[in-house]
Amino acid sequence: MSTNREFAAVILAAGKGTRLKSGLHKVLHNIAGRPIIEHLMASVEALAPARTIVIVGDEREQVIGQLGERAECVVQEPQLGTGHAVAQAKDALAGFDGDVVMLLGDAPFIKSDTMNDMLARLRAPDAPAVVVLGFEPEDALQYGRVITHSDMTIEKMVEFKDANEAERACRLCNSGLMAARSEVLFDLLDRVDNDNAQGEYYLPDIVNVAVKEGRTCAAVVTDRPHEVVGINSRKELAAAERQWQDLKREEALENGVTLKAPETVFFSYDTDLAPDVTVEPNVVFAPGVKVESGSRIRAFSHLEGAHVGEDCEVGPYARLRPGAVMEKGSKVGNFVEMKKAVLGEGAKANHLTYLGDATVGAGANIGAGTITCNYDGYFKYKTVIGERAFIGSNSALIAPVKIGDDAIVAAGSAVSRDVAPGELRMVRAEQLVKPGWADRFHDTMKKKKASEKKD
């Protein structure tokens, strides 16, 4: 049996997902900032399959729109079970001479190396007709059982409700994920019947058909039961999110990241934290965040689409939005928001500031309450702040505007024209002083109030 055969992935995503009670297709609900099916697609695409076929049905337009041209979508209508679903790929795979891995669109965590293990077993010298991915959960519950011989070839597949006491004692459960050689798969599917309570054609039955015909079928067992978790309800979606986050937290700790309160930190699927990063409690990483070594993300901060350089400090209570870049040793403090802005090396915006569509030079200091006024209701404009510039508190920089190197903007200024390097810009109304006015006002108002009380 050749070990270099091509393979096709067939992903089942036609289910209605009624238990989720959502207008969004089941496989498009997010885990760690990424649709369920995209977790699975990433593992599949890492193996470079010759073909990727997704079986769609209910709300198919949503799935087709998500996948675009990365997969060939085939409609299952009506939906008559998992075996019937895979059978819909027959025409799409006509003439394909390779192996087929059958996956579940709502089981997103299967790893590429596990799929490789299934394909390797399928290509072994004894050439099994079907390979089943088995797992041993802590609680076998109502899972179907995979009854095997000592060499892990399969004796039979049995649903829990149909199993006898000895079969129910078996710990090896059916994940629903399988691999088969294309030259036998659809022949086996043609022999599956729907003589069951649901009147459906079940994919696992291809194993029993093959075994009855004297063909070898084999089990591959994953020692990572979390890989095969399926998601059919909001409760299971939440449980899958917790599972993913726990694994990501463990990975971060093992990679040298300090998490002060791991259970309160939430990662995205692509969060990239270098060793020696410290993350304080209640921090959320949305997609697209990279943090370099030595940086500290303080409590209650939210980061998305941001790059934090070495030895930076973020927060507490900071928000970095897409396009935010902090260069080495820069700092944003409490209630600072950055969007599509670069904070230069050693620059600081310690509190109560908005930096949008801006470039801040190295060593600059941005005072409390500073706002880059970047939007006129139609277009965005850029603010450029030079190196070592000092922006006084409560300043409004009305873009497009440039503040030169070493310039000073006095507190309370509204700057709408460029400031030259080394210049002081003060934009304030003339102060009006009336000595004794406040004392006279207080006396008058106190007398008026006392008079009203007598009345």
Side-chain angles (χ1 to χ4, degrees):
M1 176 65 62
S2 172
T3 59
N4 296 316
R5 286 161 57 94
E6 290 185 323
F7 87 96
V10 175
I11 300 172
L12 307 190
K16 293 184 177 182
T18 54
R19 290 168 59 194
L20 282 164
K21 297 180 174 63
S22 175
L24 184 66
H25 193 285
K26 174 169 64 172
V27 301
L28 300 183
H29 283 263
N30 274 5
I31 294 174
R34 188 186 220 178
I36 288 170
I37 199 167
E38 292 293 358
H39 286 273
L40 179 58
M41 288 292 291
S43 294
V44 170
E45 288 170 349
L47 297 179
R51 305 281 298 280
T52 300
I53 296 171
V54 179
I55 309 301
V56 296
D58 190 60
E59 298 165 336
R60 64 187 69 115
E61 297 83 4
Q62 295 182 19
V63 181
I64 294 170
Q66 176 69 37
L67 297 176
E69 297 181 357
R70 292 180 296 148
E72 180 180 351
C73 292
V74 176
V75 177
Q76 181 194 19
E77 191 66 48
Q79 294 158 31
L80 301 177
T82 52
H84 179 258
V86 174
Q88 306 314 299
K90 183 175 182 178
D91 289 343
L93 289 177
F96 176 73
D97 183 18
D99 301 322
V100 181
V101 176
M102 292 155 277
L103 306 165
L104 304 179
D106 60 6
F109 300 141
I110 183 72
K111 301 296 184 185
S112 300
D113 58 354
T114 301
M115 286 185 265
N116 258 337
D117 290 343
M118 295 169 67
L119 288 169
R121 182 65 186 92
L122 191 67
R123 297 163 182 172
D126 61 342
V130 182
V131 169
V132 175
L133 181 64
F135 70 111
E136 296 183 351
E138 290 184 8
D139 188 345
L141 299 172
Q142 305 292 310
Y143 288 110
R145 302 302 203 262
V146 184
I147 310 302
T148 63
H149 302 289
S150 59
D151 62 355
M152 297 306 293
T153 57
I154 299 175
E155 179 182 341
K156 71 173 180 176
M157 307 277 286
V158 59
E159 294 298 318
F160 179 85
K161 63 181 180 297
D162 299 322
N164 58 39
E165 186 174 347
E167 291 166 341
R168 290 182 178 183
C170 171
R171 299 292 305 163
L172 187 60
C173 296
N174 175 25
S175 70
L177 281 61
M178 299 183 182
R181 292 181 288 115
S182 60
E183 57 265 33
V184 300
L185 173 60
F186 296 105
D187 178 61
L188 293 174
L189 284 168
D190 286 343
R191 288 168 167 73
V192 171
D193 63 40
N194 64 343
D195 185 17
N196 53 63
Q198 300 299 319
E200 295 187 347
Y201 299 88
Y202 294 131
L203 183 59
D205 285 348
I206 65 174
V207 176
N208 292 331
V209 170
V211 169
K212 286 179 182 178
E213 294 181 353
R215 300 182 182 184
T216 297
C217 293
V220 169
V221 182
T222 176
D223 58 0
R224 300 174 293 203
H226 66 269
E227 280 192 79
V228 298
V229 63
I231 300 166
N232 296 289
S233 67
R234 300 280 182 170
K235 183 177 179 180
E236 290 173 350
L237 182 65
E241 180 76 42
R242 286 194 300 272
Q243 171 186 288
W244 191 95
Q245 293 293 341
D246 285 343
L247 291 169
K248 186 68 174 181
R249 291 162 186 153
E250 290 179 12
E251 178 185 301
L253 292 166
E254 290 173 358
N255 289 341
V257 176
T258 295
L259 304 178
K260 294 293 188 180
E263 69 281 1
T264 70
V265 176
F266 290 84
F267 295 103
S268 183
Y269 71 96
D270 60 351
T271 304
D272 184 358
L273 305 184
D276 283 331
V277 166
T278 297
V279 183
E280 293 184 2
N282 299 296
V283 171
V284 175
F285 295 98
V289 176
K290 183 174 183 177
V291 183
E292 304 285 1
S293 180
S295 289
R296 187 180 192 93
I297 313 299
R298 301 190 64 190
F300 293 98
S301 294
H302 187 286
L303 292 77
E304 178 180 6
H307 186 172
V308 179
E310 293 181 2
D311 302 320
C312 293
E313 185 171 332
V314 178
Y317 295 97
R319 185 182 181 197
L320 302 188
R321 293 168 58 194
V325 177
M326 295 179 63
E327 296 183 350
K328 183 176 181 179
S330 59
K331 179 180 178 182
V332 296
N334 49 290
F335 305 107
V336 173
E337 179 179 349
M338 289 180 64
K339 188 274 299 179
K340 201 176 179 182
V342 177
L343 193 61
E345 183 172 347
K348 297 178 181 179
N350 280 326
H351 32 215
L352 302 163
T353 291
Y354 172 67
L355 298 174
D357 296 280
T359 299
V360 179
N365 188 88
I366 311 299
T370 296
I371 299 172
T372 57
C373 307
N374 59 328
Y375 184 48
D376 65 2
Y378 294 92
F379 301 101
K380 299 288 181 73
Y381 302 93
K382 188 169 183 178
T383 298
V384 178
I385 300 172
E387 294 183 3
R388 300 172 301 280
F390 182 93
I391 311 299
S393 297
N394 201 35
S395 294
L397 308 180
I398 304 169
V401 68
K402 294 182 180 180
I403 313 298
D405 295 348
D406 300 300
I408 296 176
V409 173
S413 295
V415 179
S416 57
R417 291 181 296 171
D418 291 354
V419 179
E423 181 178 284
L424 168 66
R425 179 68 57 86
M426 182 184 298
V427 187
R428 300 175 184 163
E430 182 180 353
Q431 294 190 34
L432 179 64
V433 180
K434 295 186 176 182
W437 187 93
D439 290 336
R440 293 192 295 274
F441 173 78
H442 291 314
D443 289 342
T444 299
M445 299 310 290
K446 287 176 182 177
K447 289 176 182 177
K448 182 177 181 179
K449 190 170 186 179
S451 176
E452 289 179 353
K453 285 184 178 179
K454 289 181 181 179
D455 294 342

